[in-house]
Amino acid sequence: MPHLKLNLPMPTPEQITEGERQIQYRQDADEKRVERDRKRRADLEDRRRAIERALKAYRKFDDPDVTDLRIRTRFIRTDDPRRSAPRTAGYSLAEEVESRPPMTRLVERRRHSLQLMMTMLFVARMETPPGARFINRHPNINPKDSRDSWLTLAGLADDVRVDQRRGLRRKFNTAVDGLRAHDLISLEGAAGQAGRYRSFTLQKEDASNTPYTVPGDDTARREAITLPTAFFLQGWHLVLTDLELVTLLAIIDRTGQLRLVPRSGELRDKGVDLKKQVRFETYGLSDEAYNTVHMLDRFGLIDVEDPMPNRSNPARFAALLLPTDKADESANTTPHDAHSNAPGGKSDSNERVPYRLIYPSETAGIDQFPPALDTVLGVLPEL
């Protein structure tokens, strides 16, 4: 019997239910995510040799006695509330960017500046004792001796023909310009002068425009975060996207800020949160950056737990009762005060409760950093 094809009319927008709209929205979002992930995989495959060159170069100064490095918290966050004063003029992107902490100033434009900065902080620690000033002796691009260039160390040494080397130099200089614009390095000579980019000076990561010194053991914990050197030796600073990297640094910093807060053992007290006000005013993180917590979870760098069982429909979520919190969050007296926005600590029925972000991952541990490239490629879909 032949198969009959029925010409049924397409449903009108009024006939499509809200549930069907949500299903279609999720399907479209999933397709876009897969497309982005595949594009990222292709990019990482193209950069594989450059990343492997960087990791090979790291072996030359790998010191088993140096197990961690410190990054000043002024690089990661600001204690000045952003946009708190009345504005007399219209919105200015330049002013908004400048009000961010240094790390999130660097991600406004995709020019590898953050990747280069993190590499410099790592190399400085491996080559300089704590408390001492770092002296830059690495060439930028073409090493004429045994020293590896910054281009190689930052995983930017792409395979190109000799006649395309100018493009590599331009890419590196653009990354340097991003750091110079925010007082993270200094150059000698006037703009346009030949050799101006050679032997640049690394400045403190707090953008104080002073020469960089390696944070010493006497640096207060509130003034610096600690990252295991394994994080760099395995290439995570080269493989993570800029948005993933700044979000991870914010989570590590916030975890340190709340480390002494008593915990109840309940889900709402696990880890930390990055509620909208905190991530914007303190860290300069966009919503797009915050959404990377799910990828960080898939990579095993953090754990993400959701205290909100009906996140897709906040109007049905009105039963979460939390203790009244009279303390100021800035005093770090309680880790769960970010949930309590309504009188009596009851979450508003239309407000989404922030995810709980746990660093280090409870399954991996603080020193467990597997090879970044293999780990990330193992998560991303095949081409």
Side-chain angles (χ1 to χ4, degrees):
M1 183 175 180
H3 182 73
L4 297 178
K5 182 178 180 181
L6 300 178
N7 294 320
L8 298 177
M10 293 293 293
T12 64
E14 292 77 13
Q15 293 173 321
I16 299 176
T17 66
E18 181 61 28
E20 290 171 335
R21 289 192 184 93
Q22 291 184 8
I23 292 173
Q24 185 61 51
Y25 175 82
R26 286 194 292 269
Q27 289 176 344
D28 292 343
D30 288 343
E31 290 176 1
K32 292 179 181 178
R33 177 182 58 79
V34 171
E35 182 179 353
R36 288 195 303 268
D37 287 351
R38 284 177 174 160
K39 183 178 180 181
R40 179 178 182 179
R41 184 184 189 93
D43 176 66
L44 285 174
E45 293 287 4
D46 290 342
R47 295 175 50 216
R48 176 186 287 274
R49 291 191 62 182
I51 294 171
E52 290 175 344
R53 285 193 193 99
L55 299 184
K56 182 179 179 180
Y58 296 167
R59 299 174 195 162
K60 298 178 182 178
F61 49 71
D62 182 15
D63 185 346
D65 293 330
V66 181
T67 59
D68 55 54
L69 63 88
R70 291 175 177 152
I71 300 176
R72 293 177 174 89
T73 54
R74 291 291 185 179
F75 177 68
I76 300 169
R77 60 179 161 87
T78 176
D79 293 330
D80 299 325
R82 293 168 5 103
R83 291 188 180 175
S84 58
R87 302 182 65 86
T88 57
Y91 173 79
S92 167
L93 177 60
E95 290 181 7
E96 194 279 321
V97 171
E98 197 59 30
S99 71
R100 302 175 189 172
M103 73 166 185
T104 38
R105 294 180 203 168
L106 297 179
V107 303
E108 177 58 31
R109 298 173 63 184
R110 175 62 175 163
R111 49 188 177 185
H112 307 288
S113 297
L114 180 62
Q115 187 172 323
L116 179 59
M117 184 66 185
M118 294 295 288
T119 300
M120 291 177 180
L121 296 177
F122 168 60
V123 173
R125 177 62 188 95
M126 302 307 295
E127 295 183 339
T128 310
R133 178 178 171 180
F134 171 65
I135 305 299
N136 174 24
R137 296 186 175 91
H138 289 274
N140 289 352
I141 295 180
N142 295 317
K144 296 181 179 180
D145 53 29
S146 61
R147 294 172 298 169
D148 289 290
S149 69
W150 284 118
L151 193 77
T152 296
L153 294 169
L156 299 175
D158 299 331
D159 291 320
V160 296
R161 300 192 308 267
V162 174
D163 61 341
Q164 295 177 328
R165 298 285 292 177
R166 180 176 295 181
L168 282 181
R169 185 178 298 277
R170 185 184 302 112
K171 178 168 69 172
F172 180 80
N173 289 352
T174 300
V176 170
D177 283 336
L179 299 177
R180 180 185 57 82
H182 300 297
D183 295 324
L184 296 173
I185 65 164
S186 63
L187 302 175
E188 296 183 2
Q193 180 178 334
R196 183 170 182 246
Y197 288 87
R198 297 174 191 162
S199 302
F200 56 81
T201 300
L202 179 63
Q203 304 288 77
K204 278 187 179 180
E205 67 272 47
D206 59 6
S208 60
N209 205 20
T210 55
Y212 179 80
T213 55
V214 177
D217 296 336
D218 57 345
T219 305
R221 294 188 63 173
R222 67 180 178 277
E223 296 178 0
I225 68 165
T226 299
L227 266 176
T229 53
F231 178 85
F232 298 88
L233 293 171
Q234 298 287 20
W236 284 100
H237 64 302
L238 306 179
V239 173
L240 293 178
T241 67
D242 283 355
L243 297 184
E244 289 167 352
L245 187 52
V246 295
T247 302
L248 178 63
L249 293 177
I251 293 169
I252 295 174
D253 175 65
R254 190 151 171 80
T255 299
Q257 292 296 303
L258 298 174
R259 67 186 183 280
L260 300 180
V261 174
R263 306 284 176 155
S264 68
E266 299 179 13
L267 175 57
R268 60 186 172 81
D269 269 353
K270 296 184 69 174
V272 297
D273 65 40
L274 280 178
K275 65 177 180 177
K276 192 176 185 69
Q277 181 179 2
V278 170
R279 64 179 183 261
F280 178 82
E281 292 185 355
T282 303
Y283 300 106
L285 296 176
S286 64
D287 291 343
E288 183 182 4
Y290 178 62
N291 286 336
T292 65
V293 297
H294 302 292
M295 291 302 290
L296 295 173
D297 184 20
R298 293 173 67 189
F299 298 154
L301 298 178
I302 65 171
D303 292 329
V304 177
E305 298 199 21
D306 192 351
M308 188 172 181
N310 291 304
R311 182 168 298 274
S312 61
N313 193 344
R316 297 181 181 177
F317 185 67
L320 180 63
L321 296 177
L322 299 177
T324 301
D325 189 5
K326 299 180 181 179
D328 181 11
E329 183 184 6
S330 62
N332 296 332
T333 55
T334 173
H336 57 261
D337 53 0
H339 300 294
S340 187
N341 299 306
K346 186 173 182 178
S347 177
D348 184 86
S349 61
N350 289 316
E351 175 140 3
R352 284 180 167 83
V353 178
Y355 293 110
R356 304 308 298 176
L357 310 171
I358 302 164
Y359 174 86
S361 168
E362 294 179 335
T363 55
I366 194 167
D367 296 321
Q368 301 301 312
F369 287 101
L373 189 58
D374 292 343
T375 300
V376 172
L377 290 177
V379 169
L380 299 176
E382 297 289 341
L383 297 177

